[in-house]
Amino acid sequence: LGFAPEFEGSVPQPYRDALGPLAYNQSEVTAAAELFRGKALKGHDAREATLKSLDQRPYILHFATHALADSQRPLQARIFLEADSASGEDGLLHAWEIYAQQWQSPLTVLSACQTGLGKVESGEGVMSLARAFQYAGSQQVLTTLWQTDDQAGATLTGHFFEALAAEEATHVALQRARQQWLAKADPFKAHPFFWAGYVLIGDGAQVSSGGASIPWTWIIVLLGTAGLGFIIWRLRRPL
């Protein structure tokens, strides 16, 4: 489920002058939705109210938008979506709002600036937007460490989703995406600024095109437990 709002006059004040339009975010979510038989919410359909009303099915969440980190007040970090006067939502999805949600997402892709940055809290780690999505139920989060380039981000995440659709594990998919970018990039765009800022948080497990992670760790544990139980049963079985 992809969200790609517009940024031409629809951004709430006082951010309107600071955030420009994104030329590639809508094509980015469209391509990913086609690969995973999902849905791309673009323009005014990419509403904050829609996100908050999701049911408990495991969605791959994909945001191609603007975001603002806040190193001093991490709960005020926000992702920009579309406002909805009928629901009273202002289109600013704050970290404190994300913490209150329950999204059982096998993967969340935050294709926006600095979504992995935040205040470092002792015993907690980095209090970022990515951390908030983990707390809300995301098993894995593809996040960013610095300002991102719109076109580069769309291309990189496109390669990432293509690898996922080919049944690659998420950590392998990110590696493939970086390799594909570097294979075609000119010397300027081969600079790490364009591709190294996207990092994966989570166990790197495979995500199926149906939207659910394949829990290989638990499968191995269960098979091992079953095998051990069988051995014990045979040893204790009277001859």
Side-chain angles (χ1 to χ4, degrees), residues 76-94:
Q76 295 300 319
R78 70 219 69 169
I79 290 176
F80 289 87
L81 298 172
E82 291 286 344
D84 184 359
S85 58
S87 66
E89 299 291 355
D90 60 3
L92 302 177
L93 181 66
H94 292 85

Side-chain angles (χ1 to χ4, degrees), residues 106-119:
L107 173 66
T108 295
V109 175
L110 300 178
S111 186
C113 294
Q114 301 179 335
T115 54
L117 296 187
K119 187 177 182 180

Side-chain angles (χ1 to χ4, degrees), residues 50-103:
T50 303
L51 176 64
K52 289 183 176 178
S53 64
L54 291 180
D55 56 35
Q56 293 300 303
R57 285 181 295 167
Y59 292 93
I60 295 176
L61 296 176
H62 178 197
F63 299 90
T65 180
H66 283 300
L68 287 177
D70 194 321
S71 60
Q72 299 303 314
R73 302 175 301 165
L75 292 180
Q76 295 300 319
R78 70 219 69 169
I79 290 176
F80 289 87
L81 298 172
E82 291 286 344
D84 184 359
S85 58
S87 66
E89 299 291 355
D90 60 3
L92 302 177
L93 181 66
H94 292 85
W96 63 265
E97 295 177 280
I98 300 170
Y99 276 107
Q101 303 302 314
Q102 293 184 4
W103 295 315

